[in-house]
């Protein structure tokens, strides 16, 4: 029998933890109380409210569980000192995977696997109340002892629902949950001769999704080498195929199974990137490198290279590993930051970045140096573009004299030509950290980084704007942008106002142009009555050629 529902929170009053963004890298901002072994931190910014949801796994006196915190734009926790804890399910002490998504109706969905081999999804409203009948939804159920539900991924839909992806040892499974908690037909991705695993999702056009997955063969030798291929397929909400499976990466012989990552390109397609070594046709082991692939809105590869485009030419003296990527919102190029380490001892550490177009052109040759080798390692690197398309930020953890794991956190700003514009130390405490697996990306003029401090176990965070400033910041329209704009909906019309406004374009979240109108004076009025409710991008141009990009929710 399930234990009764228990939220381990002090109260929903903000006074429980009156944190606020500070401009002090020695202390940063405490966001929640946790245990020293807390981990698997995910962040999701909610475009409807501007708030950020934080999820982590933690152990308590009653076992392992999933925890959630919600903070407002000022860094104030809204769900008490310890956040919400989901402890009415049994969890493994090791994690088969947790996932988090925010929805267009200002909610959040957490998804996880429990010890009953079930994939469970629970939705919360902004006040922390459970929706979907309180207990959540069993999205997939696997036979007991089957070692099912190996991984979980979530992708927000456009109507308050979410897509869920999981896998067993052989196949990948996908399903869409509507905003009201009703389930759509389940999808199975399988192949008689391969395992179909490591699926990742990105949105397609017209409510579809793309799933990028690996086909993995049985062992091909005495050692654990397997042929790997990367494929992409898209589905409709009702479970039918929207575009047929297409191969992105030709067969490669791998020793180790590395998981690829996928990021939307803003045009209805996406980029795929992965780090691996492989055996060439002569049976020789090629060095580790990071490879990039791209598919368009029709699910077709746009690169001619069957093994993908490398971020750096193959170099038998160095590996190029641990890539993290973002996409330029104007040109739709992918920009990656990655680590260079020496092949022999892996004691050298440098960070580089490179830029690749949708047609596979490498624009920065062998890459631009971000951080040079100084005897201490660089880890946890991230990269995020500014919403206005004027530049991007790279962040990373840097080892210290106390040891490789005792780190500080640095952030560096660049323009879109890769020229450095600022450098900020975001954290200086030199504590052992467990950093979040992602950032929020820039929203409301700021990017947010979160980590646990293994000394006291608490969750800490720091905001930073597009000029490298921390603490109290101005809004996105005033921060690093020559344009400022007002966007609001009045009935069936979206009203956009800005000094010198000349043109407004409404773009779907997948990059599909929906409407373009010319401004009348300093304002434009767009009829949105026939558009699907949800999140959209508003691109504004003024008479001087300046461009501003903002997100808005059409209701």
């Amino acid at each position: 029998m399930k234990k009764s529902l228990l939220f381990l929170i002090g109260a929903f009053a903000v006074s429980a933890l009156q944190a606020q963004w500070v401009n002090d890298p020695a202390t940063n901002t405490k966001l929640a109380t946790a245990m020293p072994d807390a981990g698997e931190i995910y962040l999701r910014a909610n475009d409807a409210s501007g708030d950020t949801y934080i999820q982590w796994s933690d152990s308590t006196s009653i076992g392992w569980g999933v925890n959630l915190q919600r903070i407002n734009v000022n860094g104030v926790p809204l769900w008490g000192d310890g956040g919400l804890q989901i402890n009415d399910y049994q969890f493994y002490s090791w994690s088969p995977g947790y996932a988090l998504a925010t929805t267009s109706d200002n909610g959040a969905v957490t998804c996880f696997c429990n010890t009953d081999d079930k994939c469970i999804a629970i939705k919360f409203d902004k006040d922390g109340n459970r929706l979907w009948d309180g207990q959540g939804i069993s999205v997939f159920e696997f036979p007991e002892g089957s070692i099912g539900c190996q991984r979980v991924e979530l992708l927000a839909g456009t109507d308050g629902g979410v897509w869920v992806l999981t896998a067993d040892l052989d196949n990948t499974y996908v399903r869409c949950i509507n905003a009201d908690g009703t389930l759509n037909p389940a999808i199975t991705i399988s192949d008689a001769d391969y395992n179909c695993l490591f699926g990742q999702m990105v949105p397609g056009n017209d409510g579809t999704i793309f799933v990028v997955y690996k086909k993995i063969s049985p062992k091909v030798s005495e050692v654990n080498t397997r042929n790997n291929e990367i494929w992409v397929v898209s589905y409709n909400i009702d479970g039918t195929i929207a575009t047929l499976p297409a191969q992105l990466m030709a067969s490669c012989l791998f020793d180790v199974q590395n998981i690829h990552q996928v990021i939307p390109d803003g045009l209805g397609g996406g980029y795929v990137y992965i780090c691996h070594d492989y055996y060439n046709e002569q049976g020789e082991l090629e060095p580790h490198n990071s490879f990039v692939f791209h598919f368009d809105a029709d699910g077709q590869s746009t690169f001619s290279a069957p093994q993908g485009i490398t971020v750096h030419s193959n170099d038998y003296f160095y590996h190029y590993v641990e890539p993290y990527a973002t996409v330029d919102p104007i040109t739709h190029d992918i920009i990656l930051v990655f680590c260079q380490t020496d092949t022999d001892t892996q004691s050298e550490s440098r960070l580089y970045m490179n830029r690749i177009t949708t047609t596979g052109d490498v624009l920065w040759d062998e890459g631009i140096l971000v951080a040079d080798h100084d005897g201490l390692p660089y880890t946890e690197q991230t990269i995020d573009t500014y919403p206005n398309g004027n530049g991007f930020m790279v962040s990373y953890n840097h080892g210290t004299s106390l040891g490789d794991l005792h780190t500080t956190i640095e952030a560096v700003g660049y323009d879109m030509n890769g020229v450095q514009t600022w450098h900020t130390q975001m954290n200086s405490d030199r504590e052992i950290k467990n950093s979040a697996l992602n950032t929020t990306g820039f929203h409301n003029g700021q990017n947010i980084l979160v980590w646990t401090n293994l000394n006291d176990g608490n969750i800490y965070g720091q905001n930073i704007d597009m000029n490298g400033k921390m603490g109290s910041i101005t809004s996105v329209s005033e921060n690093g942008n020559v344009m400022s704009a007002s966007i609001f909906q009045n009935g069936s019309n979206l009203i956009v106002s800005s000094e010198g406004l000349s043109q407004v374009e409404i773009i779907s979240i997948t990059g599909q142009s929906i409407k373009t109108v010319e401004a009348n004076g300093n304002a434009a009025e767009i009829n949105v009555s026939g558009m699907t409710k949800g999140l959209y991008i508003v691109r504004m141009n003024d008479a001087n050629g300046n461009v501003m990009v903002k997100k808005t929710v059409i209701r």
Side-chain angles (χ1 to χ4, degrees):
M1 182 175 180
K2 297 284 185 189
K3 296 189 292 289
S4 61
L5 177 63
L6 177 63
F7 285 159
L8 297 184
I9 62 173
F12 281 115
V14 171
S15 59
L17 187 61
Q18 281 288 355
Q20 190 172 1
W21 296 129
V22 299
N23 185 14
D24 185 354
T27 62
N28 302 113
T29 301
K30 181 184 174 184
L31 303 176
T33 297
M35 299 293 288
D37 52 5
E40 289 195 85
I41 310 169
Y42 291 92
L43 309 179
R44 291 289 184 265
N46 190 284
D47 290 295
S49 65
D51 296 342
T52 295
Y53 291 87
I54 306 169
Q55 177 178 282
W56 68 96
S57 61
D58 207 345
S59 62
T60 69
S61 59
I62 58 173
W64 282 83
V66 177
N67 299 261
L68 291 170
Q69 179 63 283
R70 175 173 165 245
I71 61 173
N72 67 15
V73 69
N74 296 314
V76 177
L78 303 178
W79 286 352
D81 181 72
L84 306 180
Q85 185 179 79
I86 302 170
N87 59 13
D88 49 340
Y89 287 95
Q90 295 293 323
F91 296 88
Y92 292 103
S93 58
W94 57 272
S95 168
Y98 309 118
L100 173 69
T102 63
T103 56
S104 58
D105 56 0
N106 200 12
V109 177
T110 180
C111 192
F112 50 86
C113 302
N114 68 357
T115 55
D116 294 331
D117 288 317
K118 294 180 180 179
C119 177
I120 307 295
I122 301 176
K123 185 174 182 178
F124 294 87
D125 66 17
K126 64 182 180 63
D127 298 317
N129 300 308
R130 286 195 187 192
L131 307 177
W132 295 348
D133 297 327
Q135 291 299 309
I137 295 171
S138 180
V139 187
F140 296 102
E141 298 185 6
F142 297 90
E144 186 175 353
S146 65
I147 321 180
C149 204
Q150 290 292 297
R151 292 178 56 251
V152 176
E153 300 288 340
L154 282 178
L155 179 68
T158 58
D159 62 348
V162 292
W163 290 84
V164 180
L165 180 149
T166 188
D168 56 20
L169 295 177
D170 299 311
N171 305 316
T172 291
Y173 306 93
V174 184
R175 196 171 211 171
C176 184
I177 310 175
N178 297 319
D180 62 2
T182 54
L183 291 170
N184 289 285
I187 300 163
T188 300
I189 302 176
S190 63
D191 189 292
D193 299 318
Y194 293 86
N195 301 128
C196 296
L197 302 175
F198 304 130
Q200 301 278 343
M201 298 181 290
V202 291
N205 289 329
D206 302 321
T208 63
I209 61 154
F210 285 105
V211 180
V212 180
Y213 61 98
K214 268 190 180 182
K215 285 187 177 183
I216 305 171
S217 73
K219 291 182 183 180
V220 297
S221 68
E222 291 300 320
V223 295
N224 193 31
T225 55
R226 300 171 186 266
N227 283 313
N228 285 245
E229 302 170 0
I230 295 180
W231 288 70
V232 61
V233 62
S234 70
Y235 293 97
N236 299 303
I237 288 178
D238 63 5
T240 57
I241 290 180
T243 62
L244 293 173
Q247 190 169 2
L248 298 177
M249 184 184 79
S251 184
C252 278
L253 196 60
F254 287 2
D255 267 335
V256 179
Q257 293 303 321
N258 293 329
I259 299 177
H260 55 274
Q261 302 297 323
V262 186
I263 185 171
D265 65 0
L267 297 169
Y271 289 95
V272 183
Y273 58 98
I274 185 172
C275 168
H276 63 79
D277 59 1
Y278 67 98
Y279 290 93
N280 61 27
E281 293 179 353
Q282 290 73 42
E284 302 166 330
L285 186 64
E286 296 284 345
H288 276 88
N289 209 329
S290 296
F291 299 80
V292 178
F293 307 84
H294 178 261
F295 59 92
D296 60 21
D298 296 319
Q300 298 300 308
S301 174
T302 65
F303 289 179
S304 59
Q307 304 298 345
I309 303 297
T310 57
V311 297
H312 190 286
S313 58
N314 272 357
D315 183 344
Y316 286 92
F317 295 101
Y318 290 99
H319 299 308
Y320 298 92
V321 296
E322 299 174 7
Y324 193 101
T326 188
V327 169
D328 184 332
I330 306 299
T331 67
H332 306 286
D333 300 339
I334 187 173
I335 308 173
L336 304 99
V337 60
F338 52 94
C339 183
Q340 179 202 64
T341 184
D342 62 296
T343 304
D344 289 339
T345 65
Q346 297 176 22
S347 59
E348 293 184 32
S349 181
R350 296 177 183 85
L351 292 181
Y352 283 87
M353 57 188 182
N354 213 332
R355 183 183 186 113
I356 300 172
T357 70
T358 56
T359 55
D361 296 319
V362 181
L363 301 184
W364 291 341
D365 193 26
E366 300 287 19
I368 295 174
L369 182 67
V370 175
D372 205 353
H373 175 58
D374 63 0
L376 298 168
Y378 302 104
T379 58
E380 313 294 345
Q381 57 268 18
T382 67
I383 185 169
D384 294 284
T385 50
Y386 306 153
N388 57 22
N390 289 344
F392 58 92
M393 182 192 100
V394 174
S395 68
Y396 54 88
N397 290 17
H398 190 196
T400 67
S401 58
L402 294 180
D404 291 354
L405 298 179
H406 293 261
T407 62
T408 60
I409 301 176
E410 310 286 328
V412 189
Y414 294 90
D415 66 20
M416 278 303 182
N417 294 314
V419 177
Q420 183 177 322
T421 55
W422 53 263
H423 185 166
T424 299
Q425 185 172 60
M426 296 185 67
N427 168 271
S428 62
D429 64 13
R430 303 199 299 175
E431 296 288 352
I432 300 176
K433 299 175 180 66
N434 188 350
S435 294
L437 299 172
N438 64 324
T439 67
T440 60
F442 283 93
H443 70 296
N444 290 316
Q446 63 184 357
N447 196 0
I448 299 172
L449 277 66
V450 172
W451 61 90
T452 57
N453 182 329
L454 270 65
N455 180 44
D456 60 19
N458 294 324
I459 307 290
Y460 291 88
Q462 185 62 61
N463 71 328
I464 190 166
D465 72 6
M466 293 180 283
N467 296 313
K469 180 184 176 183
M470 304 190 303
S472 177
I473 65 170
T474 55
S475 67
V476 64
S477 62
E478 301 167 335
N479 193 358
N481 211 318
V482 296
M483 293 180 66
S484 61
S486 168
I487 302 176
F488 68 94
Q489 188 170 343
N490 182 12
S492 61
N493 292 319
L494 191 71
I495 312 298
V496 181
S497 303
S498 180
E499 183 71 26
L501 185 67
S502 62
Q503 188 182 76
V504 178
E505 183 181 13
I506 307 297
I507 304 169
S508 74
I509 201 64
T510 62
Q512 185 179 21
S513 181
I514 306 298
K515 286 188 177 183
T516 301
V517 299
E518 302 300 320
N520 182 9
N522 295 324
E525 187 172 304
I526 305 103
N527 188 305
V528 296
S529 59
M531 295 170 56
T532 303
K533 295 178 181 179
L535 183 64
Y536 288 85
I537 298 168
V538 181
R539 179 183 171 120
M540 296 155 280
N541 298 271
D542 70 12
N544 296 318
N546 298 309
V547 178
M548 184 177 184
V549 179
K550 296 187 75 172
K551 294 178 181 177
T552 192
V553 175
I554 293 177
R555 306 182 187 281

